[in-house]
Amino acid sequence: MTDAELQNLALRPESLTEVAWEALDDELDRRDLELLEEEAPEGHEELELRELVTIRQFRDLPEALLAKGSLESAGIECFLADENLVRLDWFISNFIGGIKLKVRAADAQNAQKILDEPILEGLYVQGIGLYEQPRCPKCQSLDVNFQELDRPIAYMSAFLRVPMPVQRPGWHCHECDAEWEDDGAGGSADESHS
């Protein structure tokens, strides 16, 4: 074998028996050759294990994706754990502890600050103008979301294996748990508690 062939063979010791490795080592010494270090091919990076911490848990995928997008737009690398399980069967979200938003331990404090920022009252949208965040008619909180699915009926129908997607258009306040239908006028609306 040539010198280069011997050096390449020495880069893969797992393919040699103990006797073959000793013979190769003796031949390298006789020829006065040194072992070469294998270089990683261009464009490939070594894998690095990272310590990740869970900073938030979400029952629903849309909320988890919004939080992930907020962190990524701020330049914080983050991951959603158990996201695909919830995508496959949203009913098991509570059983597995929801979708976990994970970041590196070094980024945890900054990520918490970003997620804890208050909700903007409004923002300017190009071509549309000023968009004002809806408020709860009861407590004036901005922490509201529009929900179309009647969750108690949907959960029960999924449990009984008779899917019935019952629609109930309306808003829900996360602060006071008030619910109301959008009347289009932005004024007060019917309130009920779930």
Side-chain angles (χ1 to χ4, degrees):
M1 297 180 90
T2 66
D3 292 349
E5 290 172 329
L6 287 176
Q7 288 174 321
N8 282 334
L9 184 59
L11 290 175
R12 291 165 191 74
E14 68 277 352
S15 66
L16 302 173
T17 64
E18 194 172 319
V19 175
W21 175 252
E22 287 176 12
L24 176 62
D25 192 38
D26 289 341
E27 185 61 24
L28 290 172
D29 286 341
R30 187 183 71 73
R31 294 188 189 186
D32 203 23
L33 298 173
E34 292 188 23
L35 291 176
L36 299 176
E37 289 186 27
E38 187 172 22
E39 295 179 14
E42 276 189 46
H44 291 289
E45 298 177 12
E46 286 190 34
L47 294 177
E48 142 189 6
L49 294 177
R50 298 181 185 164
E51 178 79 25
L52 299 177
V53 294
T54 300
I55 59 169
R56 292 276 166 95
Q57 290 177 262
F58 302 93
R59 183 186 68 185
D60 300 317
L61 184 60
E63 292 175 88
L65 291 173
L66 284 173
K68 182 178 187 258
S70 295
L71 296 182
E72 287 176 340
S73 68
I76 296 176
E77 189 176 17
C78 57
F79 308 93
L80 293 176
D82 298 327
E83 168 192 12
N84 289 328
L85 282 175
V86 173
R87 281 182 196 257
L88 288 173
D89 189 357
W90 60 269
F91 190 67
I92 66 166
S93 182
N94 288 334
F95 296 122
I96 62 172
I99 301 167
K100 291 115 187 136
L101 180 61
K102 295 182 174 271
V103 297
R104 290 183 303 195
D107 293 333
Q109 189 174 9
N110 289 338
Q112 286 285 11
K113 285 181 187 176
I114 289 170
L115 294 177
D116 290 339
E117 286 180 357
I119 299 168
L120 295 174
E121 291 186 33
L123 64 117
Y124 182 78
V125 179
Q126 188 174 353
I128 295 175
L130 181 65
Y131 168 78
E132 292 186 33
Q133 172 69 21
R135 288 183 177 274
C136 173
K138 184 176 180 185
C139 70
Q140 298 301 308
S141 170
L142 293 168
D143 192 8
V144 299
N145 73 312
F146 188 75
Q147 57 185 27
E148 290 186 18
L149 190 65
D150 191 340
R151 289 179 190 231
I153 293 174
Y155 284 129
M156 185 55 71
S157 70
F159 179 73
L160 296 173
R161 302 232 184 247
V162 181
M164 297 183 311
V166 178
Q167 301 293 322
R168 184 189 67 203
W171 291 87
H172 178 258
C173 177
H174 296 282
E175 292 292 323
C176 69
D177 215 24
E179 293 183 355
W180 67 98
E181 288 188 22
D182 189 4
D183 61 2
S188 63
D190 298 331
E191 292 180 21
S192 64
H193 296 283
S194 53

